[in-house]
Amino acid sequence: MKLSTRNVVATGIGAAVFFILFKFVAIPTGVANTQINVAEAWLALITAIFGPIVGALVAFIGHTLNDAVSYGSVWWSWVIADALFGLLLGLMTQRLALADGNLTTSKLIQFNIWQLIANVIAWAVVAPLGDILIYGEPAKKVFLQGAVTVGANFLSIAILGTILLIAYNRTQVKRGSLTKED
């Protein structure tokens, strides 16, 4: 699959913003190595505009950079989970055409149900199982981290992500709302 120049640029800029938000705008939850990340709300907007592949790449690159800079090494189970989350989020945002100027309450409800499901898959299943299989982490610890991350990401996206989608959507011209003057 070939990415367009637009998508390559979007991936680079999107990953840079994701990294900055992930690194500097994170709210601790009280559970070790787990925080509320507004970067995931940004990811919702990126996937709505550019699709699942760009979303997966933005999450993968941004999370990898954050881990490398913050911890000196990359925690691959969570990077992979974040990339999967970006992919799943992108599949739904594209299916619902959230960035086409025709955003409805029904679409936003469907999106938020889907993002909850995607959060559960990525953070309550993939990340903890990866931690156990790759790093030998204790199951109780990683499933707690995963559950907290599901809740934190869901709220971040349901509130901030929805606001970003609505704001972006308002910048889009509604189909058929302009007439061509001769």
Side-chain angles (χ1 to χ4, degrees):
M1 173 183 194
K2 184 179 177 209
L3 289 176
S4 69
T5 302
R6 177 180 182 253
N7 285 349
V8 171
V9 171
T11 299
I13 294 170
V17 172
F18 186 93
F19 163 69
I20 290 166
L21 293 172
F22 202 87
K23 174 82 176 140
F24 298 109
V25 190
I27 304 161
T29 63
V31 174
N33 299 317
T34 308
Q35 58 270 337
I36 299 169
N37 284 309
V38 298
E40 301 299 342
W42 167 253
L43 187 61
L45 178 64
I46 290 295
T47 63
I49 300 169
F50 299 102
I53 302 301
V54 171
L57 289 170
V58 164
F60 183 86
I61 295 165
H63 198 132
T64 300
L65 288 171
N66 179 71
D67 281 8
V69 169
S70 298
Y71 308 112
S73 64
V74 178
W75 202 260
W76 290 109
S77 52
W78 283 64
V79 169
I80 291 166
D82 220 347
L84 174 64
F85 181 69
L87 178 72
L88 294 172
L89 206 55
L91 290 171
M92 181 50 79
T93 58
Q94 292 298 286
R95 182 179 172 280
L96 291 173
L98 293 181
D100 71 354
N102 188 24
L103 188 62
T104 64
T105 301
S106 175
K107 284 183 178 183
L108 285 173
I109 291 169
Q110 289 175 61
F111 165 71
N112 278 296
I113 290 168
W114 176 252
Q115 67 102 344
L116 176 60
I117 293 167
N119 267 302
V120 169
I121 292 168
W123 306 115
V125 178
V126 173
L129 290 178
D131 283 354
I132 293 166
L133 296 172
I134 297 169
Y135 302 108
E137 291 287 314
K140 184 176 179 180
K141 171 189 165 192
V142 296
F143 281 108
L144 173 62
Q145 288 174 325
V148 170
T149 300
V150 167
N153 284 352
F154 173 75
L155 290 174
S156 175
I157 294 169
I159 297 166
L160 295 174
T162 298
I163 290 169
L164 287 172
L165 288 169
I166 291 168
Y168 177 79
N169 195 267
R170 288 185 178 158
T171 69
Q172 302 306 296
V173 177
K174 303 245 188 250
R175 296 176 201 263
S177 65
L178 294 179
T179 58
K180 183 177 177 184
E181 291 185 18
D182 296 341

